[in-house]
Amino acid sequence: DAGVIQSPRHEVTEMGQEVTLRCKPISGHNSLFWYRQTMMRGLELLIYFNNNVPIDDSGMPEDRFSAKMPNASFSTLKIQPSEPRDSAVYFCASSLAVSGINSNQPQHFGDGTRLSIL
Amino acid sequence: RKEVEQDPGPFNVPEGATVAFNCTYSNSASQSFFWYRQDCRKEPKLLMSVYSSGNEDGRFTAQLNRASQYISLLIRDSKLSDSATYLCVVLPGTFSGGYQKVTFGTGTKLQVIP
């Protein structure tokens, strides 16, 4: 079975440029998460979608960051304009959330996008 | 107090040793718990879920202590390949209304030495 698919795997670009990261969640999963990981701050949740709707975007650093989920099989995270401090590994993860007690299911992560802003 | 706190690392242990990590959580209503493993420059991967009654998977044992609000991961007969960072994950109780706040610990680094 295909896991979470992210693209690109690596991105190197100059500051000020627009960066778009892409994610295809596992088929059938209804929750999607974008994370950022750095040595200093560890794994940070940026935004969470459920059934394609953004539920919690309190982790999005600032207005330069935006995320969309136009359908159940695709999401993007966009940074515009990019800055050197945005350099990090960005992970997308998906899970299946079902109403009910003890219904939380583990998340499955994509390989990540290693982003370097020069 | 942080929502989820893990033992500070790194843990350096010899091959064959038994090592245990703890992870404390602050929300007493938390219901679901997981341990993830993350290798250097790789994505976190689910290692095991943590059930109320405790569970075992080969050399790995996970336990939950609700009274003291912590989960633990025990690794027996450590292998070199166990070297990684271990992240605990805490999720809330009943899922309703679409919100599933997930909290990751900062991770504990394990280095198994030959």
Side-chain angles (χ1 to χ4, degrees):
Chain A
D1 290 341
V4 176
I5 300 172
Q6 290 187 246
S7 65
R9 292 292 302 274
H10 303 272
E11 174 96 13
V12 180
T13 190
E14 292 184 346
M15 65 177 294
Q17 298 297 307
E18 177 178 295
V19 173
T20 299
L21 311 181
R22 298 173 177 79
C23 176
K24 176 179 169 57
I26 292 173
S27 178
H29 282 187
N30 59 1
S31 294
L32 184 140
F33 308 79
W34 280 102
Y35 291 90
R36 175 173 69 179
Q37 188 173 39
T38 62
M39 289 291 290
M40 294 295 293
R41 295 188 298 268
L43 198 63
E44 303 173 279
L45 176 65
L46 299 177
I47 187 168
Y48 158 60
F49 291 88
N50 180 254
N51 292 325
N52 312 338
V53 176
I55 302 299
D56 182 0
D57 64 356
S58 59
M60 295 286 263
E62 51 201 88
D63 291 346
R64 297 185 297 107
F65 285 67
S66 62
K68 295 182 180 179
M69 191 164 187
N71 56 62
S73 60
F74 184 66
S75 176
T76 60
L77 177 68
K78 188 172 293 187
I79 308 173
Q80 167 63 22
S82 58
E83 296 182 4
R85 60 193 169 119
D86 301 330
S87 299
V89 180
Y90 290 80
F91 288 108
C92 175
S94 71
S95 69
L96 176 64
V98 179
S99 294
I101 297 175
N102 297 326
S103 58
N104 290 312
Q105 298 298 308
Q107 298 175 18
H108 299 267
F109 284 74
D111 291 339
T113 296
R114 301 190 179 285
L115 177 64
S116 295
I117 308 297
L118 306 177
Chain B
R1 183 182 174 185
K2 289 184 179 179
E3 291 185 64
V4 177
E5 291 193 79
Q6 291 192 237
D7 278 356
F11 282 58
N12 298 311
V13 302
E15 260 187 298
T18 295
V19 62
F21 311 133
N22 284 338
C23 171
T24 58
Y25 59 95
S26 60
N27 184 354
S28 60
S30 299
Q31 289 287 346
S32 300
F33 309 89
F34 305 96
W35 281 103
Y36 279 73
R37 168 194 171 128
Q38 186 173 25
D39 292 288
C40 187
R41 302 181 69 80
K42 296 284 189 179
E43 76 277 17
K45 290 186 178 179
L46 179 67
L47 179 65
M48 58 196 305
S49 303
V50 185
Y51 303 127
S52 298
S53 56
N55 48 303
E56 189 174 308
D57 183 2
R59 298 181 292 108
F60 298 83
T61 300
Q63 292 197 316
L64 167 64
N65 185 316
R66 287 195 184 277
S68 300
Q69 294 184 201
Y70 73 87
I71 61 173
S72 63
L73 177 67
L74 181 80
I75 305 175
R76 290 181 297 278
D77 189 22
S78 300
K79 310 291 185 190
L80 295 176
S81 58
D82 294 334
S83 298
T85 296
Y86 291 84
L87 304 160
C88 67
V89 178
V90 177
L91 280 80
T94 304
F95 170 75
S96 63
Y99 190 44
Q100 184 190 38
K101 180 173 174 59
V102 179
T103 305
F104 276 79
T106 52
T108 299
K109 187 173 182 180
L110 171 66
Q111 184 68 48
V112 181
I113 305 166

